[in-house]
């Protein structure tokens, strides 16, 4: 599921030569050459990429924060003074004008996870579909 997500949502796998490690439903990119951690209590054995449930990969907020805009196939760029940037950070669903969803290449479908950036810096994920951005910003991080 992670490989399919990377192919459909990312321009390239950002974890490069890292070794993918699954712990239950959670997927991590462990640094190459990391010695075995058997018998050691480790909270996170690497960069948390997301979780796999029901054959679907759900990307983590940590993955979004570690990407650059050009590494995602779909991006939405806001400026800091755009009121939609604050609305995104509050967890709202947003409407997009045609052309605001940027795709890395021709033929990339508009439906899928989009990396939301403010002034060029990633802030999180949203699901793009039919001109709408369904917010995936973590509830604990939202402005109230």
């Amino acid at each position: 599921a992670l490989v399919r997500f990377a192919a459909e949502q990312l321009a390239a796998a950002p974890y490069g030569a890292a070794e993918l490690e699954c712990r239950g439903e959670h997927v991590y990119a462990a640094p190459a050459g990391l010695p075995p951690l058997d018998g050691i209590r480790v909270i996170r054995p690497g960069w948390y990429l997301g979780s796999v449930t029901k054959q679907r990969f759900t990307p983590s907020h940590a993955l979004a924060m570690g990407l650059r805009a050009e590494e995602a196939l779909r991006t939405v760029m806001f400026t800091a003074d755009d009121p939609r940037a604050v609305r995104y950070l509050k967890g709202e669903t947003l409407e997009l004008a045609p052309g605001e969803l940027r795709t890395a290449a021709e033929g990339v479908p508009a439906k899928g996870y989009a990396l939301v950036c403010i002034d060029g810096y990633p802030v999180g994920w949203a699901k793009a579909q039919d001109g709408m951005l369904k917010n995936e910003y973590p509830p604990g991080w939202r402005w109230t």
Side-chain angles (χ1 to χ4, degrees):
L2 171 64
V3 173
R4 189 174 71 236
F5 173 84
E8 295 173 354
Q9 314 296 335
L10 304 175
Y15 37 84
E19 298 174 16
L20 296 180
E21 182 172 330
C22 294
R23 292 205 173 181
E25 63 185 34
H26 302 286
V27 182
Y28 299 88
L34 185 71
L37 300 175
D38 301 336
I40 302 172
R41 181 179 156 94
V42 177
I43 297 173
R44 289 182 191 90
W47 182 18
Y48 182 50
L49 301 177
S51 62
V52 177
T53 54
K54 300 179 184 175
Q55 299 301 314
R56 284 202 173 146
F57 180 77
T58 304
S60 70
H61 190 68
L63 175 59
M65 299 303 292
L67 294 176
R68 293 183 306 249
E70 60 271 9
E71 292 176 316
L73 287 183
R74 289 171 211 83
T75 55
V76 177
M77 298 287 195
F78 295 126
T79 59
D81 58 352
D82 187 335
R84 293 177 301 171
V86 173
R87 289 180 50 213
Y88 173 79
L89 295 173
K90 288 184 175 185
E92 296 179 24
T93 297
L94 304 173
E95 286 187 44
L96 292 177
E100 284 189 304
L101 179 69
R102 298 179 187 178
T103 56
E106 290 292 322
V108 174
K111 181 180 177 182
Y113 281 97
L115 185 65
V116 178
C117 299
I118 298 176
D119 286 344
Y121 295 99
V123 292
W125 294 108
K127 287 183 184 176
Q129 181 177 358
D130 300 328
M132 300 293 288
L133 275 184
K134 295 180 182 178
N135 203 310
E136 295 287 318
Y137 198 65
W141 287 38
R142 294 179 183 175
W143 285 11
T144 55

